[in-house]
Amino acid sequence: MKKLLMTALLLSASASAAKLQVYPYDGAQFIPGQHFDLRVEAEDVKDFKDAVITLDGQPVAGLVKTTSKDTSVEWTVRAQSLGVGTHTLNVAFTDAGGPVTKTAKWTVAATRPEGFGSLFYKPKAKNVILFIGDGLGWNTVNAAKMIAYPYNPADGTPTGKLAMETGLSGMATVTTSSYDSALADSANTASSLATGQKIQVNALNVYPDNTADTLDNPRVETITAMLKRSMGKSVGLVSSAFGTDATPAAFAAYTRRRGDYQAIADQYFKGDVKPDVLLIGGSRDFIPSTAPGSRRKDATNWIDDSQKLGYQFVSNRTELNAATGSKLFGLFNIDNIPSYLDRAQYKSKEMLGDFTDMPFLWDSTKKAVETLDKNPNGFFLMVEAGMIDKYEHPLDWQRGVWDVLELDKAVAWAKEYAKTHPDTLVLVTADHAHSLSVYGGYDATKGPGKREAVGTYDKAGFPTYGDRRDANGIPLPETSRTYAVGFAATPDYCETYLGRPVFLDPTVSNGKSGAEAAYVPNPKICAEGAVQRVGNLDPASSQGVHTADPLPLFAFGPGAENFSGVIDQTEIFFGIARAMGLDATKNK
């Protein structure tokens, strides 16, 4: 009886003990000198006494203790960094529930030789051009190749490869996950590329905390900030999406909520990165609240203020190509830059509006490199083909895949640049995948939405893309025989198999509210002639979603040996750091 009573008391004490969280999380990895914020949170605290927090056996200096509510205690210290090796944080305290302890181990990996070997060390890559195809899974790459280089109808042999697939120095398959989920979004995956950390869904380069403020979370330093701080390199960010979107923001901003668009816009010019080149869509986040289309809540005008900071501002392709400034800021649309098909082939007023002179991705890549190349210390450039994802979500595979072809022309230009600048590492990868799959051929002469027009196996035949191409050498979408392309994660929608000159969302609201609110197939698409598909997502979902499918990584040039086999996405950060010999313990 006495033993049972003691066990019950111990279980009761354990059940009421405070909960401890430590950030960075147990198992986190860093490079030497990479800054991070240390955060310890104790929740469900009762009659808190005191705490002992040690790092490698020594008390942590500078900890600021706070109590965000009656039942919590937190400790924070900003901008910490560590040297090479394994480091252990121990936390111990006692409250009414009994003793509480937690341990976190962190590893700091060297990015260059130490000791005698450092005397002869020279980094392999002076410059890095990182291409990110948002939503560019392996299947999406393959679909783009099948459009650009159709199989020979005489014998079924390939007629070519994409630029991103040829002349490889290294190649890898990349797996993704979030800190809080096996599935991922663009914010946390792009943050993994930028920091080497696992990050929460919808967060940018921060760990969780227990406060409501999305901008006060503990931060971890990005590779762009370190390259500027430690090596004096220039930084450029290019995206076809709106510029405060997750992927470009991950290389210059810190927030728990990726939707903090105004704060993200401000961090581009006030944060620790301050990119030297910023060529993007989404002017609505950079113009004052009184301007038409703005979604800011204040009078800030970054178009004017950026020029006071030394940026040359450009607003269209003509101005971009003529620019000569050492710092560039470009805004080419009030929102996302429309797809390649809309800018180069369809050119409809409905899709372009008043923005009739927008650059192609290769224009922005070329001008960014020419501008950044003026820095003798080298540069880091991130180029995002952001609209691949934006069109895969609404199941518009044609617009998404043609944006891959636009990306590939930018990659081809970068590879040519690297031939005359052999200290440049070019990488092509993605943040996450979508569920796109090519599963057959489709006889377009039979019209839209005919299941009997879908051919599989030998009945698929050879689609006829490539017979006609535009001025940029990219195939036209209209063809007598196309592909049957589908998605594995969808709402209810109508399938026509064919594209259209004006984009349409696959679903519309059912007009109800509360628990009955849902999305139904867009009747405009259904009226074209279509097969109605029953989706596999919650009816509250209006579009397709990301998947856990693996991603490609193609590497060209010095340091490419750091990218091979099957790797986790966080390893890309460390591979870039090793290729550039990034030593963040120094301040240039």
Side-chain angles (χ1 to χ4, degrees), residues 216-448:
D216 72 348
N217 287 54
R219 300 179 172 187
V220 57
E221 193 176 23
T222 63
I223 195 165
T224 41
M226 287 183 279
L227 288 170
K228 272 209 156 189
R229 173 174 66 81
S230 301
M231 303 182 78
K233 293 186 182 291
S234 293
V235 170
L237 303 177
V238 171
S239 178
S240 56
F242 68 91
T244 58
D245 201 14
T247 302
F251 290 87
Y254 306 86
T255 173
R256 173 63 186 90
R257 183 176 58 208
R258 60 180 286 182
D260 286 333
Y261 300 131
Q262 178 173 306
I264 291 169
D266 294 345
Q267 288 185 56
Y268 281 132
F269 299 101
K270 294 180 177 180
D272 60 355
V273 175
K274 300 182 183 68
D276 304 273
V277 173
L278 185 60
L279 304 175
I280 52 179
S283 58
R284 66 173 73 248
D285 297 310
F286 298 88
I287 55 179
S289 59
T290 53
S294 173
R295 62 178 170 192
R296 291 190 67 92
K297 306 298 183 185
D298 62 19
T300 300
N301 184 341
W302 281 118
I303 292 177
D304 291 345
D305 292 351
S306 66
Q307 294 174 71
K308 298 173 186 176
L309 297 173
Y311 288 85
Q312 180 179 357
F313 178 73
V314 293
S315 62
N316 56 47
R317 187 188 189 204
T318 302
E319 292 175 357
L320 174 69
N321 289 337
T324 59
S326 59
K327 296 171 69 177
L328 283 181
F329 177 35
L331 292 169
F332 306 114
N333 197 291
I334 192 72
D335 202 337
N336 297 309
I337 296 173
S339 76
Y340 175 83
L341 281 175
D342 293 307
R343 281 172 287 136
Q345 297 183 5
Y346 294 141
K347 299 181 181 179
S348 68
K349 177 70 173 177
E350 294 96 326
M351 295 303 297
L352 300 184
D354 296 328
F355 299 94
T356 57
D357 187 24
M358 290 173 281
F360 296 113
L361 202 60
W362 59 81
D363 295 319
S364 296
T365 300
K366 179 175 183 289
K367 183 57 66 173
V369 169
E370 291 173 351
T371 305
L372 298 170
D373 195 34
K374 298 173 183 178
N375 184 348
N377 296 323
F379 64 84
F380 177 97
L381 172 64
M382 190 287 297
V383 179
E384 183 204 19
M387 298 305 290
I388 302 169
D389 167 86
K390 300 279 190 240
Y391 289 113
E392 286 179 310
H393 274 296
L395 316 180
D396 191 330
W397 73 265
Q398 289 93 344
R399 281 181 166 82
V401 167
W402 260 260
D403 272 32
V404 179
L405 301 181
E406 180 185 16
L407 166 64
D408 198 55
K409 282 186 69 70
V411 172
W413 183 91
K415 289 173 62 179
E416 287 300 310
Y417 169 85
K419 287 180 181 178
T420 57
H421 298 76
D423 51 5
T424 300
L425 170 64
V426 178
L427 300 171
V428 185
T429 189
D431 49 357
H432 58 76
H434 276 270
S435 63
L436 181 149
S437 182
V438 178
Y439 60 88
Y442 187 82
D443 184 354
T445 65
K446 294 183 178 179

Side-chain angles (χ1 to χ4, degrees), residues 41-94:
E41 296 179 350
E43 294 281 359
D44 298 334
V45 172
K46 302 177 183 67
D47 192 25
F48 170 77
K49 303 297 183 184
D50 200 0
V52 177
I53 303 175
T54 62
L55 178 62
D56 297 335
Q58 299 298 316
V60 178
L63 282 169
V64 176
K65 176 184 169 187
T66 57
T67 54
S68 60
K69 50 185 177 292
D70 293 342
T71 58
S72 72
V73 183
E74 307 90 28
W75 298 264
T76 306
V77 58
R78 304 280 185 180
Q80 299 298 287
S81 63
L82 299 167
V84 174
T86 301
H87 303 271
T88 302
L89 182 85
N90 285 308
V91 182
F93 73 87
T94 302

